[in-house]
Amino acid sequence: DGAGHAIRNLTVNQPSEIYQGLFGCLENANIENIHLETVSVSGRGYVGALAGRVLNSNIDSVHISGEIYAGAGGYAGGLAGYLDGSGIVNSSSASAVKNVVTRTGGIAGFSVNSASIFNSYSTGSVSGGSYAGGLVGQQSGSSIANSYSRAAVTGDGYLGGLVGDSI
């Protein structure tokens, strides 16, 4: 519990490494009430300001601003690159999220296995190759409710204001 505190100017620059963020990978975790402001996170595979991969975890009231970049493909998201069986609620991303190849989203690059995003939003920009979405780049077996995006989305294919592709 971050108790509403902020981490400012976090820089993670590991262009050849996967699982990049404040946490590389979260598993069975509860993260709440924290702000990550003016972050700069770059990596190769799973990249997000909070975590590269989030597995079976709960994220509540986490707010992000800054830049996230995945250089060699993989998954890039404002909060999480890869959201697996986890929930994000009451959270936001005001970030520029960029991915050279695929699966790029304002909140999560890829959302799978009953993952959920509720009462959350993204602003800023999302740019990637294919599967780029204002909230989620691609989702499979996951849900989004009471959420929105005002992020500008650009890419090569499977683009969406909310979700790039849902399978």
Side-chain angles (χ1 to χ4, degrees), residues 128-142:
S130 56
Y131 307 109
L135 213 60
V136 176
Q138 187 177 44
Q139 70 174 12
S140 177
S142 59

Side-chain angles (χ1 to χ4, degrees), residues 32-57:
E32 59 187 32
N33 303 315
I34 192 164
H35 297 263
L36 299 175
E37 299 175 359
T38 320
V39 302
S40 177
V41 180
S42 63
R44 181 171 57 91
Y46 300 72
V47 182
L50 182 64
R53 183 171 184 192
V54 179
L55 178 62
N56 299 323
S57 297

Side-chain angles (χ1 to χ4, degrees), residues 108-158:
F110 195 41
S111 177
V112 298
N113 297 329
S114 300
S116 62
I117 297 172
F118 179 74
N119 201 35
S120 298
Y121 66 92
S122 69
T123 60
S125 63
V126 173
S127 61
S130 56
Y131 307 109
L135 213 60
V136 176
Q138 187 177 44
Q139 70 174 12
S140 177
S142 59
S143 62
I144 297 171
N146 198 37
S147 298
Y148 68 91
S149 173
R150 290 191 178 138
V153 179
T154 59
D156 296 332
Y158 298 99

Side-chain angles (χ1 to χ4, degrees), residues 5 8 11-12 18 29 31 35 47 52 58 60 70 76 78 85 99 102 104 111 113 121 142 149 159-160 166:
H5 293 285
R8 293 180 180 88
T11 299
V12 177
I18 60 172
I31 305 292
H35 297 263
V47 182
N58 297 303
D60 187 355
N99 191 343
T102 187
T104 313
S111 177
N113 297 329
Y121 66 92
S142 59
S149 173
L159 309 177
S166 182

